Amino acid sequence: MAEKEWKPQILGIICNWCSYAGADLAGSARTQYPPDIRIVRVMCTGRVDPLFIMKAFIDGADGVLVSGCHFGDCHYLEGNYKAAKRMFILKSLLKNIGLEDKRLRMTFVSASEGAKWAVVVKDVVDTVTSLGPSPLKEFGH
Amino acid sequence: MAEKKTKKEPAAKKETKKAAAKAAAPATAAPAASPEKALGKDARVGVYICHCGTNIAGSVDIPAVQEYVKTLPNVAHVDNYQYMCSTPGQKKIEDDIKEHKLTGIVVAACSPRLHEPTFRTATKTGGLNPFRFEMANIREQGSWVHMHDREGATSKAKDAIRIAVAKASLLQDLVPKSVPVEKAAMVVGAGVAGMQAALDLANAGIKTYLIEKNPTIGGRMSQLDKTFPTLDCSQCILTPKMVDVGRNPNIELMTYAEVAEVEGYIGNFDVTIRRKARGVLTPAEAEAKGIVGGGCNGCGDCDAVCPVIKPNPFEMGMKPRKAIYIYHPQVVPLIYTVDFDSCVKCGLCVEACGDKKAIDLEMKDELVKVKVGTAVLALGYEMFPIEKKEEWGYKKYENVVNSLEFERLICASGPTGGHLVRPSDGKTPMKVAFLLCAGSRDNTGVGKPYCSRFCCMYSLKHAHQIIEKIPGCQPYLFYMDIRSFGKMYEEFYYRIQDEGAKFMRGRVANVLEDPVTKNLIINAEDTLLNRPINLEVDMVVLAAAVQPSEDTDRTRKLFGVSKSMDGWLLEAHPKLNPCGTTTAGVFLAGVCQGPKDIPDTVASAEGAASAASIPIHMGEVELEPYFAQCIEEKCAGCGMCVNLCPYQALSLVEKDGRKVMQVTEAKCKGCGTCGGFCPGGAIWMQHFATPQIVAQIDAFLLGGEQ
Amino acid sequence: MREYAFFLGCIAPNRYPGAESASYKTAEKLGIKLLDLEGASCCPAPGAFGSIDLNVWYAMAARNLVLAEQMKKDIALICNGCYKSIWEVNHKLKHHKELREGVNEVLKGIDMEFKGTIDVWHLAELFYDPAIVGVQKIRDSVKVPLTGTRIAVHYGCHLMKPRKERHFGTTEHPTWMEEMVAALGAEPVEYRNKMLCCGAGGGVRGYDLVHSLDITNEKMINLMEAKVDALTEVCPFCQLQFDRGQIEIQEKFGVSYNLPVLHYCELLGLAQGMTPQELALDLHGISCEPFLKKVL
Ligand SMILES: Cc1cc2nc3c(=O)[nH]c(=O)nc-3n(C[C@H](O)[C@H](O)[C@H](O)COP(=O)(O)OP(=O)(O)OC[C@H]3O[C@@H](n4cnc5c(N)ncnc54)[C@H](O)[C@@H]3O)c2cc1C
Ligand code: SF4
Ligand code: SF4
Ligand code: FES
């Protein structure tokens, strides 16, 4: 494997109403971005159980992106506030166990921000790439 | 949901060796109580890969993907097709379900936001529960965004399908909840869009609440003098509509009111309306209070005695009004309004009103609750504050006006009786410059990047009006392009050219004032002749950009409607669903969705009204059954979720001597906020259950090929 | 005393040495020490270089910036053209990674690297900023108030525009320089089309002299209409166009205005008591004598 260029494995958990729609819009507009992300759709970022993220890291994910609506725009009023709070706590937890907290990222991309979605993904891929493979990878496998 | 109550052991799904070994995962166990099913036992998934012509096949190696999918666990059948959404494509699913005894369907194609309903129907027709369908998005989030990376797009497609198969293996039968639809609708904003929508709904037999924040209906159109390209008088065509609205028995008009709160969902919106205290009783309200033959009849006796003078916003502040006022004589309803911010409570009006006893200076705001099945937002627009483009001197030089002020100045019922005069000295201008795209198509960060769409046409109209009204008066139009795209618009453009208006292509660099004459000097470049222009004129009219009206942001949030990048409200689909929104049951009409002239506004209003009437005529709608369920065995009764739910759908109840959480399904909207929190994993989110999502994550990261 | 690396530019030392000496001396009285930026080259001129080869423009400006980075000092300068080059290239290189990498590739050849560690300021904005100098301090430093004179201000385009990229707020009706003129005891005078270009910038002077003088002439007409005793600016290139340009206008169009044109630092120098000799005012194209008579 070593001779092949290493590509990060990044999980994106994104809400149906804003970020998923924004990602679709990037598609309709043919905005190109790196393919190193896999998406799991939930109705709202409020659904994102911190355990999902921990599970992903245990399974060897190099990065996790959680993306929802802008504050005030959540389809269910305030799911994204609650998710954001959880992400803060989770980030400090990651630091405590020695994982760079930059591997977890929460962003807000609205249904009309296709271009922003592409920028966000590129940025996350760049960040995670520069961090290198997750140290938990070996532990898991 | 009260089916088998068998107790099954956890994680019946046989994951791959790899994954199973790693199942130190949190809460992968199936719930042990009511929502629990034999998850994924003997799952047989059918996978269909769509080419979408070359849209997908152009960047994704479909045969390779198909070969790969065959190696995935639980996959019982794989097929591919040119267009899965076509009738033959759907037929494949329908037939295969029986033939291959499928328990779950995966279509790898476009976005579920586009075709999930299509394939759910096919799944249902084939005899499976429609919720046993899962989509893998390999177009919008695959081939289209990795067009030149065939390898990347192909490997992403494989992963997306593996993730979808993992979920499809664990899907359960769900029954959508049918809810009755209240046979009433609401329209917010009573400009021409809102009025048209309300009339259409009312004429279709639907009780319609029409909410307008101003004291009268009519919106911007009632401020216009004439309308392009036919030049018919705006008030003449609008007033009959306003009267119709006022008289229609199915329309309950609430002017001087705003939406304060919205609860519920399609079919059952509970809307709280704040009726602002207008200080004056209608005849009906007076009668209810036992004042026989009383209430405001619009006589204006109060107006005559009121000592407080304020600028009238309808006349763009160019004409005075009293503290008790109407905008103009044709208002609907013809009821006076007290502006309590400026009223000094001298009581003279009460005296003047006499026996009609219409005025109540102690009136307070009132909250009214109504229930409606659907709602139409028709919030319109306001003028961009063009003084921000300092170079043109609006609000600095007296003889620079914006286009809406020009409409009032040229209108026979306006502050000058239709005689166009210069604000500085009351003289008739003989040279008038119109600056088009003022603040529109502006990428400097000060103005708006979009085209405001009607300024070209109304500026042509304005040029015509001064040529017609003031013999010898010369209009100059500074433009970037003339966008005369509508029916008979281009013809109108030629007509105005022939009438002698002068057109200069070029954006105006700045406008300067001669401090003595108050004439204005325009510096521009004629980009067709490649020459600088210095032109002295008597008056400048800025065809200012338009922007969403003041309260739009607050109101849209109440209804859960998103906005586009430019601030206008976001439609469900720009081409195929321009009146819908992402909130089921809420529709858009008129300019609030994006600038439109009157013909397009009315067309969009009729579209919105028709869309809003469909659920009402159907009588009931189906809600996606993504409700939360309590796994009582696991619930510790801590009650944390109860406070988290934004819709108060959860409560704690006593059961078998202990406290457990209970869900009120009718209130739950399925966001999953509770499910994302519960520390004991006691909340089962239907269709987005923890084991289903964890299976997706495992499938992505641990693979699953056999 | 705050210290800045003083980026001189070309026109001031070659054409208006008084503006140069005035800058050092007036700044010092206001608590600013201007240090020589050894080895600095042309900024390079934004119109002449920038409109022909942007990469050369970036690289040369970056070299000047690196010199200041090595001194660990922010740059102060007294010319709008320099401001456009030095300020804008600094801003661009700081914010665009790819551009920065490209420029550093070039700088490698002379063992330099742009790091983005300093800021760039026009001396006039440092004078106006109350956190650094401020109008009050200027007023306090005046020994010979310019009472009884009417002075118009020319801001200059490269300083103020494009608005998106600058930080001066309004570009149409600025008045901060007028405040600084009033602090000297003179009466600042508004005039028609104040924000019109001097006519020189953007390569116009080099490309089409008559056209550029046309613009200058229009400015002169507006200034004469406002009956001013002098024009002040903060850019030696504008100064050149207004000052020597009047002679060219006389030659080409046959009208003469004889309006003295002074860099704000020269004006400030006079008010702080510097002599016309110290300010080399005799090197101006248009005699400053009528103005000097009013104040001295
Ligand atoms: C100078 C000018 C000239 C024009 N001339 C022409 C012409 O000749 N021909 C033509 O076809 N078009 C013309 N137009 C365009 C025309 O004005 C619009 O197409 C039309 O008015 C749009 O109607 P609307 O109902 O969408 O919006 P509006 O007329 O803005 O109506 C919106 C209504 O909603 C109310 N409202 C807003 N927010 C709320 C809220 N939160 N709660 C309750 N109520 C609310 C407002 O008070 C208003 O009554 C012109 C526009 C301008 C600026
Ligand atoms: S009470 Fe108010 S509204 Fe009535 S007349 Fe007096 S000021 Fe006018
Ligand atoms: S999913 Fe939970 S938090 Fe969301 S609405 Fe339903 S009960 Fe409330
Ligand atoms: S719906 Fe998008 S974050 Fe809640």
Side-chain angles (χ1 to χ4, degrees):
Chain A
M1 280 305 277
E3 62 280 2
K4 223 180 159 200
E5 193 193 344
W6 171 75
K7 294 268 188 199
Q9 281 188 302
I10 299 170
L11 172 71
I13 311 185
I14 67 182
C15 89
N16 180 60
W17 300 101
C18 287
S19 289
Y20 200 90
D24 278 355
L25 184 63
S28 322
R30 312 292 197 276
T31 314
Q32 307 294 300
Y33 56 84
D36 312 303
I37 187 165
R38 304 291 179 261
I39 299 300
V40 167
R41 178 173 65 123
V42 290
M43 293 312 277
C44 172
T45 52
R47 175 68 186 101
V48 180
D49 190 325
L51 294 176
F52 298 165
I53 294 165
M54 292 315 291
K55 183 72 172 94
F57 281 123
I58 292 170
D59 284 357
D62 300 304
V64 176
L65 168 68
V66 176
S67 188
C69 311
H70 289 277
F71 287 138
D73 273 1
C74 171
H75 199 71
Y76 308 97
L77 310 176
E78 48 199 35
N80 49 1
Y81 284 100
K82 289 171 181 147
K85 277 192 187 166
R86 288 172 201 160
M87 294 312 128
F88 271 124
I89 299 172
L90 203 53
K91 267 173 168 283
S92 60
L93 202 86
L94 290 183
K95 266 197 248 176
N96 276 336
I97 61 168
L99 204 62
E100 300 93 339
D101 66 341
K102 276 195 197 160
R103 294 188 186 272
L104 170 61
R105 172 90 169 264
M106 180 159 188
T107 57
F108 309 96
V109 174
S110 82
S112 59
E113 293 175 331
K116 180 173 173 193
W117 171 252
V119 171
V120 161
V121 173
K122 180 163 189 315
D123 201 55
V124 169
V125 170
D126 284 351
T127 310
V128 176
T129 307
S130 68
L131 288 172
S134 159
L136 289 188
K137 246 196 171 76
E138 267 164 60
F139 162 83
H141 287 260
Chain B
M1 224 101 318
E3 296 179 44
K4 304 170 248 169
K5 273 181 76 190
T6 33
K7 247 193 160 187
K8 274 270 153 40
E9 260 317 288
K13 177 186 176 244
K14 50 170 197 327
E15 273 282 331
T16 62
K17 312 138 253 171
K18 251 160 120 200
K22 306 239 122 27
T28 8
S34 37
E36 171 263 352
K37 293 280 143 53
L39 268 187
K41 187 92 186 291
D42 308 321
R44 294 176 60 79
V45 180
V47 180
Y48 300 84
I49 309 160
C50 181
H51 297 234
C52 196
T54 54
N55 277 307
I56 294 170
S59 313
V60 172
D61 182 348
I62 294 196
V65 173
Q66 174 148 355
E67 281 315 303
Y68 170 79
V69 171
K70 285 184 185 156
T71 68
L72 293 176
N74 298 337
V75 171
H77 178 68
V78 194
D79 202 351
N80 69 76
Y81 192 64
Q82 276 293 323
Y83 291 103
M84 276 308 295
C85 55
S86 66
T87 311
Q90 296 187 51
K91 187 95 187 356
K92 278 178 183 289
I93 301 176
E94 292 163 18
D95 295 346
D96 289 347
I97 289 175
K98 285 180 204 83
E99 198 185 322
H100 297 280
K101 301 198 179 56
L102 302 177
T103 63
I105 301 294
V106 168
V107 174
C110 49
S111 170
R113 295 173 54 86
L114 201 64
H115 270 316
E116 190 174 63
T118 315
F119 295 121
R120 274 193 179 156
T121 309
T123 308
K124 190 173 170 191
T125 314
L128 263 186
N129 182 286
F131 292 91
R132 285 181 172 265
F133 167 77
E134 178 71 11
M135 210 153 170
N137 184 341
I138 60 168
R139 192 180 76 173
E140 279 83 347
Q141 299 181 23
S143 60
W144 278 353
V145 287
H146 316 303
M147 293 179 80
H148 316 296
D149 182 356
R150 198 174 170 79
E151 199 187 317
T154 303
S155 114
K156 192 176 183 183
K158 287 178 185 170
D159 287 1
I161 296 173
R162 191 171 72 240
I163 293 169
V165 168
K167 179 154 180 188
S169 308
L170 298 183
L171 286 173
Q172 300 172 297
D173 291 355
L174 294 176
V175 185
K177 205 179 177 76
S178 242
V179 291
V181 177
E182 185 71 28
K183 203 174 154 50
M186 167 168 296
V187 177
V188 188
V192 62
M195 286 170 17
Q196 184 67 45
L199 281 171
D200 284 8
L201 285 162
N203 290 337
I206 296 165
K207 162 98 185 172
T208 304
Y209 300 92
L210 179 56
I211 317 297
E212 167 59 52
K213 69 175 173 193
N214 284 335
T216 176
I217 61 174
R220 296 284 169 213
M221 186 176 164
S222 58
Q223 290 177 286
L224 308 181
D225 180 38
K226 293 190 169 166
T227 53
F228 62 76
T230 46
L231 297 172
D232 29 18
C233 142
S234 189
Q235 284 278 11
C236 314
I237 55 178
L238 191 67
T239 314
K241 237 189 223 312
M242 290 166 65
V243 173
D244 280 355
V245 168
R247 271 206 305 245
N248 193 306
N250 272 340
I251 296 181
E252 188 165 335
L253 184 57
M254 299 190 195
T255 52
Y256 213 50
E258 60 190 25
V259 177
E261 216 175 302
V262 182
E263 278 176 18
Y265 43 87
I266 180 170
N268 299 278
F269 290 108
D270 289 301
V271 186
T272 310
I273 295 151
R274 172 175 292 109
R275 306 196 69 159
K276 292 179 275 181
R278 82 190 294 165
V280 177
L281 299 171
T282 63
E285 286 165 346
E287 200 167 302
K289 287 199 166 190
I291 309 165
V292 190
C296 180
N297 64 12
C299 67
D301 290 348
C302 50
D303 188 322
V305 298
C306 177
V308 180
I309 295 178
K310 286 274 152 186
N312 184 351
F314 180 81
E315 301 289 0
M316 307 300 287
M318 295 184 292
K319 205 175 174 177
R321 66 157 169 82
K322 298 295 185 62
I324 186 161
Y325 66 97
I326 50 173
Y327 271 1
H328 57 88
Q330 283 92 27
V331 294
V332 173
L334 183 50
I335 304 288
Y336 273 75
T337 302
V338 179
D339 165 17
F340 282 109
D341 288 336
S342 53
C343 167
V344 296
K345 302 225 170 158
C346 62
L348 288 172
C349 56
V350 180
E351 226 170 88
C353 190
D355 285 347
K356 295 184 292 286
K357 296 202 169 110
I359 302 174
D360 173 4
L361 294 176
E362 300 308 320
M363 202 183 262
K364 291 276 167 308
D365 287 6
E366 200 185 321
L367 294 177
V368 186
K369 277 199 169 169
V370 299
K371 198 178 188 73
V372 296
T374 55
V376 174
L377 302 185
L379 308 175
Y381 66 94
E382 64 183 22
M383 302 307 278
F384 170 74
I386 195 64
E387 61 273 21
K388 288 196 182 161
K389 295 290 291 179
E390 297 176 313
E391 52 269 48
W392 300 319
Y394 181 66
K395 290 210 170 149
K396 184 160 188 264
Y397 307 139
E398 283 172 84
N399 293 328
V400 178
V401 300
N402 79 16
S403 47
L404 210 48
E405 289 163 348
F406 179 89
E407 290 281 348
R408 295 317 299 154
L409 286 171
I410 198 90
C411 179
S413 61
T416 56
H419 299 289
L420 181 67
V421 294
R422 307 204 317 160
S424 69
D425 51 15
K427 284 199 197 126
T428 306
M430 295 309 287
K431 283 176 160 189
V432 182
F434 295 90
L435 273 51
L436 278 62
C437 296
S440 302
R441 306 171 68 192
D442 178 312
N443 290 322
T444 62
V446 180
K448 303 288 181 183
Y450 49 80
C451 165
S452 293
R453 240 168 147 240
F454 37 68
C455 338
C456 281
M457 288 306 294
Y458 71 58
S459 296
L460 293 174
K461 169 185 80 177
H462 291 169
H464 164 83
Q465 283 171 299
I466 57 173
I467 291 173
E468 180 184 69
K469 281 204 166 175
I470 311 171
C473 181
Q474 178 64 58
Y476 299 90
L477 282 82
F478 289 88
Y479 69 101
M480 293 174 49
D481 312 277
I482 295 288
R483 297 187 164 174
S484 51
F485 47 81
K487 188 169 178 177
M488 297 305 287
Y489 287 12
E490 186 70 2
E491 293 85 338
F492 187 68
Y493 177 24
Y494 284 124
R495 172 176 167 191
I496 307 306
Q497 289 180 355
D498 290 342
E499 286 178 1
K502 293 219 159 100
F503 291 81
M504 258 90 88
R505 197 189 76 179
R507 209 164 213 187
V508 171
N510 62 2
V511 173
L512 304 163
E513 184 188 61
D514 184 320
V516 181
T517 61
K518 304 276 175 191
N519 285 350
L520 301 156
I521 297 115
I522 292 178
N523 289 308
E525 182 188 347
D526 188 325
T527 55
L528 288 178
L529 297 179
N530 245 329
R531 259 201 330 237
I533 302 174
N534 277 96
L535 179 72
E536 183 162 339
V537 296
D538 303 324
M539 191 170 181
V540 168
V541 182
L542 301 174
V546 293
Q547 63 183 26
S549 54
E550 197 192 336
D551 213 17
T552 298
D553 230 34
R554 186 190 65 89
T555 311
R556 77 166 175 90
K557 282 184 182 173
L558 292 176
F559 284 95
V561 172
S562 306
K563 62 176 175 185
S564 323
M565 300 256 260
D566 50 17
W568 302 106
L569 301 186
L570 186 68
E571 62 288 324
H573 190 283
K575 290 158 208 123
L576 302 180
N577 197 353
C579 297
T581 69
T582 48
T583 302
V586 180
F587 303 90
L588 306 176
V591 175
C592 63
Q593 182 261 343
K596 287 175 197 62
D597 55 14
I598 295 164
D600 288 0
T601 293
V602 172
S604 101
E606 300 208 279
S610 138
S613 69
I614 293 170
I616 294 174
H617 287 315
M618 300 282 288
E620 54 177 33
V621 285
E622 285 192 345
L623 301 182
E624 283 180 322
Y626 301 159
F627 315 116
Q629 304 268 300
C630 180
I631 308 169
E632 287 174 6
E633 282 78 352
K634 293 187 176 175
C635 176
C638 68
M640 298 293 279
C641 56
V642 174
N643 295 329
L644 276 177
C645 174
Y647 303 107
Q648 292 85 43
L650 306 179
S651 51
L652 282 184
V653 291
E654 283 279 330
K655 238 186 198 174
D656 308 331
R658 67 186 185 107
K659 286 212 161 130
V660 288
M661 181 273 271
Q662 192 180 52
V663 184
T664 311
E665 272 186 14
K667 287 189 178 171
C668 172
K669 292 203 188 185
C671 63
T673 303
C674 55
F677 176 80
C678 178
I683 298 174
W684 179 264
M685 289 306 309
Q686 300 196 137
H687 210 67
F688 290 91
T690 300
Q692 294 167 343
I693 294 177
V694 169
Q696 288 179 287
I697 297 172
D698 285 346
F700 163 32
L701 293 156
L702 303 177
E705 308 82 353
Q706 283 169 332
Chain C
M1 183 106 21
R2 288 170 186 268
E3 295 187 337
Y4 291 86
F6 185 32
F7 183 83
L8 254 184
C10 308
I11 301 176
N14 286 306
R15 305 280 196 138
Y16 298 100
E20 177 188 346
S21 65
S23 304
Y24 283 108
K25 293 187 179 164
T26 56
E28 183 133 12
K29 289 210 169 88
L30 297 173
I32 291 180
K33 178 127 189 85
L34 296 178
L35 308 171
D36 290 342
L37 186 58
E38 297 279 356
S41 68
C42 175
C43 56
F49 284 75
S51 39
I52 291 166
D53 190 334
L54 275 176
N55 289 325
V56 173
W57 186 56
Y58 290 137
M60 282 184 68
R63 183 185 159 278
N64 287 323
L65 283 157
V66 173
L67 292 175
E69 285 184 357
Q70 289 169 350
M71 287 172 73
K72 298 197 173 57
K73 295 281 180 258
D74 281 5
I75 288 182
L77 41 76
I78 54 165
C79 167
N80 293 352
C82 300
Y83 187 79
K84 167 141 183 111
S85 294
I86 306 281
W87 186 91
E88 208 162 295
V89 170
N90 192 36
H91 186 78
K92 287 210 163 92
L93 294 185
K94 276 188 183 183
H95 291 93
H96 300 281
K97 195 165 154 240
E98 274 141 47
L99 199 61
R100 183 168 65 239
E101 286 166 357
V103 163
N104 276 334
E105 202 51 45
V106 177
L107 291 181
K108 231 192 221 155
I110 48 170
D111 282 339
M112 276 187 164
E113 188 193 351
F114 175 89
K115 299 208 177 71
T117 50
I118 60 150
D119 286 324
V120 178
W121 309 97
H122 197 296
L123 192 56
E125 64 177 316
L126 296 176
F127 281 175
Y128 183 70
D129 185 349
I132 314 258
V133 176
V135 175
Q136 185 55 43
K137 255 200 184 155
I138 296 178
R139 195 175 293 123
D140 295 344
S141 77
V142 170
K143 289 215 180 73
V144 188
L146 310 180
T147 327
T149 59
R150 292 168 57 79
I151 299 181
V153 173
H154 173 80
Y155 284 80
C157 308
H158 284 325
L159 179 64
M160 305 295 288
K161 293 176 179 177
R163 164 148 88 176
K164 262 210 282 212
E165 293 175 9
R166 297 289 190 268
H167 45 270
F168 295 102
T170 172
T171 50
E172 298 301 323
H173 310 291
T175 53
W176 56 276
M177 292 229 336
E178 276 80 355
E179 286 176 51
M180 299 211 299
V181 166
L184 308 181
E187 181 190 347
V189 182
E190 284 288 338
Y191 58 104
R192 187 199 290 234
N193 212 354
K194 176 171 89 176
M195 298 312 289
L196 185 67
C197 171
C198 67
V204 179
R205 183 181 167 82
Y207 173 73
D208 184 345
L209 180 63
V210 173
H211 191 93
S212 98
L213 291 175
D214 239 348
I215 301 174
T216 317
N217 194 32
E218 159 135 18
K219 277 227 72 143
M220 293 311 300
I221 294 172
N222 295 343
L223 285 162
M224 296 324 279
E225 193 181 83
K227 298 197 173 53
V228 297
D229 299 313
L231 173 68
T232 186
E233 30 58 40
V234 286
C235 172
F237 197 35
C238 300
Q239 183 165 1
L240 181 77
Q241 180 73 0
F242 286 124
D243 181 47
R244 301 253 148 73
Q246 286 185 58
I247 300 171
E248 290 162 333
I249 288 175
Q250 155 89 53
E251 285 165 6
K252 302 237 182 304
F253 309 157
V255 271
S256 48
Y257 299 107
N258 293 321
L259 179 69
V261 183
L262 292 98
H263 193 282
Y264 182 78
C265 288
E266 295 177 326
L267 210 57
L268 177 59
L270 275 178
Q272 288 182 347
M274 286 174 75
T275 65
Q277 288 72 26
E278 276 180 284
L279 292 168
L281 292 186
D282 52 328
L283 293 180
H284 281 211
I286 299 292
S287 163
C288 296
E289 276 310 314
F291 177 73
L292 293 175
K293 270 200 196 110
K294 279 204 164 180
V295 291
L296 297 180

